[in-house]
Amino acid sequence: MMVIWGCNDDDQSPEQVNLLFTEDNLAGDWKRMAEFKGRPNDSLGLSEPTEDLFAQFENCRKDDIIRYVKATQQEGNTYFWGIGEVACHNQIANSFIEIGTWTIQESGKLNRFYSDVGEPYIVVLLTGKQLRIRKESGTKEPEGVIYEFTEYVRSK
């Protein structure tokens, strides 16, 4: 007779658990914490990046925020771009501007629309505290496809 025990990882906090790709789980404020080019054929952004794009940003762009607001009955989902605590020249700290609308599918496909232009992304990680997205298409190189990733930490 074989007995199989289930393992419950009590050390894993709710903020670290992978969430379903739904509007409710994505809605909120997300502060950018990283932007990088991944390794060839690494569609999840798990390997050491080939290029740290975030390090090249001005300090005033490193704490930018994206806000996903779930739809009301009258309107669609909207997203906003926010300036963090450190504002660049001619910007106002802690301010937001509406950019467009968004949708998310259970598969992880995230579409952001602005001025009749769609930007397709893939959500590769969504927890209570962390979000990692990549552009849907990457750059084809001889070694394989290279994707650009952006990571966020939930700020609200």
Side-chain angles (χ1 to χ4, degrees):
M1 179 189 296
M2 179 187 262
V3 177
I4 299 174
W5 292 93
C7 180
N8 183 3
D9 188 358
D10 292 331
D11 294 336
Q12 195 172 26
S13 72
E15 290 85 21
Q16 297 171 323
V17 174
N18 289 323
L19 301 174
L20 297 175
F21 301 138
T22 65
E23 292 174 347
D24 287 330
N25 290 333
L26 184 61
D29 287 4
W30 296 93
K31 178 179 160 184
R32 183 169 46 202
M33 59 183 267
E35 194 153 328
F36 59 92
K37 286 186 180 179
R39 293 270 174 206
N41 299 320
D42 180 9
S43 64
L44 299 177
L46 299 176
S47 300
E48 185 70 26
T50 58
E51 185 177 355
D52 182 359
L53 303 171
F54 192 69
Q56 301 168 26
F57 289 0
E58 298 174 77
N59 285 336
C60 60
R61 291 187 54 216
K62 289 185 175 183
D63 66 346
D64 286 352
I65 298 167
I66 191 157
R67 175 178 287 166
Y68 293 102
V69 178
K70 190 176 169 189
T72 63
Q73 289 181 337
Q74 297 84 10
E75 298 182 18
N77 297 329
T78 54
Y79 75 99
F80 298 77
W81 189 260
I83 307 303
E85 295 285 325
V86 181
C88 294
H89 183 68
N90 292 331
Q91 292 180 333
I92 300 169
N94 300 313
S95 64
F96 286 86
I97 182 170
E98 184 176 335
I99 301 296
T101 60
W102 62 277
T103 62
I104 188 168
Q105 299 172 4
E106 289 179 12
S107 64
K109 186 169 183 174
L110 170 65
N111 284 303
R112 297 193 309 208
F113 303 94
Y114 64 94
S115 302
D116 296 327
V117 175
E119 286 185 319
Y121 293 90
I122 300 296
V123 177
V124 295
L125 176 69
L126 177 60
T127 71
K129 286 286 185 190
Q130 189 177 1
L131 169 66
R132 181 184 309 130
I133 64 173
R134 69 168 169 82
K135 294 182 178 180
E136 184 177 47
S137 60
T139 305
K140 292 183 181 179
E141 299 287 334
E143 311 84 46
V145 179
I146 297 176
Y147 296 98
E148 286 187 23
F149 297 87
T150 306
E151 287 196 19
Y152 300 89
V153 63
R154 188 180 294 276
S155 61
K156 188 171 158 186

